[in-house]
Amino acid sequence: MLHYFSFLSIRDKKTELLAKELGVTYTPTVDSAFLDDTIVAIPYELKYVIGEKPYMVFVPNYLLWHYAYKERISHETVLSFYSQVMDEVWRVNPELNIVMLPQLFCGREYALNDVDLFRDLGERKQDDRIIVVADCYGSDVQQAIIRRARYVIGARYHSIVFAINQGVPCIALSYEHKIAGLLESLGKSEWCVDFVNALDNEESRAKALKNIAEKIPLMTSDIELQRKAKAVAEVCIDKFVKTMSSNE
């Protein structure tokens, strides 16, 4: 089937390597969200909750739903690690609030509902610098929030996409190839923390935490990265449109 299609795009390096092994013709690209220039106002009620203090955005991922972590990592390990990440943020930037943006809204199951995890972290920390955003705001509003952030630490793919799309520096906790592949494609692998085995044992957790802590003071905006991502996405969509037009 892959040889049959007249147009195929691939958005990460690992899948590109597989396509090359199969001899499949493809167009390298990045996420189509980079095509979108979202300019929306943060809703009044949400702006009131976030307030005027400077903040960073933190998007943890429970991960126990994922095949690589399921029945291997404990609930307590996940919460403890993310709690330590927040401590590292405040160690470097005690002035910052931590805004947590839910990106998964799947109802009752804890593993598939970001808000429950975020609220548990908030209860654990008991710190009024933590702000948990409700799970009723779409990607445009999320990007508006990220646009105002000092930086992002994210363990969900689109938190990293949104950060780059808004010219905001980020630390990507890469639990599978799509996050690492995006940053590799854009030549920004130094923003990536290998998170695949980070929670396995005390030594791995300490190493990952140290890696994150070392990156926090280095977070500076990279508008050129934003432009590069948009340019790559635009080349791909232009090629797609031409291919479809020629097949009419």
Side-chain angles (χ1 to χ4, degrees):
M1 287 183 66
L2 293 175
H3 287 285
Y4 170 80
F5 295 124
S6 56
F7 181 85
L8 176 67
S9 64
I10 296 176
R11 68 178 187 179
D12 73 86
K13 287 295 183 183
K14 184 174 181 178
T15 310
E16 282 186 37
L17 292 174
L18 179 59
K20 288 176 182 177
E21 288 180 15
L22 296 172
V24 173
T25 301
Y26 68 92
T27 299
T29 190
V30 289
D31 198 281
S32 57
F34 290 116
L35 295 166
D36 195 10
D37 291 315
T38 58
I39 305 285
V40 300
I42 298 175
Y44 173 79
E45 75 282 1
L46 185 53
K47 195 172 183 179
Y48 177 79
V49 169
I50 293 174
E52 297 300 324
K53 287 185 177 181
Y55 62 84
M56 60 82 64
V57 168
F58 185 32
V59 185
N61 186 336
Y62 189 55
L63 292 172
L64 298 191
W65 56 269
H66 193 276
Y67 72 91
Y69 300 86
K70 196 172 184 178
E71 299 179 355
R72 191 169 63 83
I73 305 298
S74 72
H75 172 83
E76 174 58 29
T77 295
V78 173
L79 263 66
S80 176
F81 184 86
Y82 288 139
S83 176
Q84 289 177 290
V85 171
M86 296 163 89
D87 289 338
E88 289 299 329
V89 168
W90 285 326
R91 184 180 63 81
V92 180
N93 300 120
E95 77 283 5
L96 292 184
N97 284 345
I98 294 179
V99 175
M100 306 181 78
L101 282 179
Q103 294 194 330
L104 204 60
F105 323 130
C106 293
R108 297 178 182 177
E109 189 176 345
Y110 187 98
L112 298 176
N113 187 335
D114 286 347
V115 168
D116 288 341
L117 169 64
F118 297 176
R119 287 173 179 165
D120 281 353
L121 284 167
E123 288 178 11
R124 175 179 288 241
K125 302 305 289 183
Q126 291 294 305
D127 195 306
D128 60 10
R129 290 173 293 179
I130 295 173
I131 299 166
V132 177
V133 173
D135 61 356
C136 58
Y137 298 99
S139 60
D140 288 359
V141 172
Q142 290 202 7
Q143 292 197 65
I145 294 170
I146 286 174
R147 189 181 306 122
R148 290 179 51 203
R150 187 82 59 82
Y151 55 88
V152 172
I153 298 178
R156 286 204 177 278
Y157 174 77
H158 278 97
S159 67
I160 304 306
V161 170
F162 293 165
I164 296 171
N165 201 36
Q166 298 304 321
V168 174
C170 59
I171 299 172
L173 309 184
S174 178
Y175 65 93
E176 61 180 25
H177 69 274
K178 61 183 179 180
I179 295 177
L182 169 65
L183 291 173
E184 183 181 352
S185 294
L186 295 175
K188 205 66 175 179
S189 292
E190 65 268 26
W191 280 0
C192 190
V193 173
D194 185 356
F195 208 57
V196 175
N197 299 308
L199 303 181
D200 284 2
N201 52 58
E202 187 174 341
E203 182 181 356
S204 296
R205 291 191 291 273
K207 182 179 178 181
L209 197 63
K210 182 174 183 288
N211 196 351
I212 295 167
E214 290 173 346
K215 292 181 187 301
I216 291 174
L218 305 177
M219 289 288 95
T220 56
S221 180
D222 190 341
I223 299 301
E224 283 305 313
L225 183 66
Q226 177 192 36
R227 291 175 184 151
K228 182 177 181 179
K230 289 183 177 297
V232 173
E234 286 169 359
V235 167
C236 179
I237 198 67
D238 287 346
K239 187 173 180 179
F240 171 72
V241 170
K242 288 178 182 177
T243 300
M244 294 300 99
S245 297
S246 65
N247 288 337
E248 289 180 354

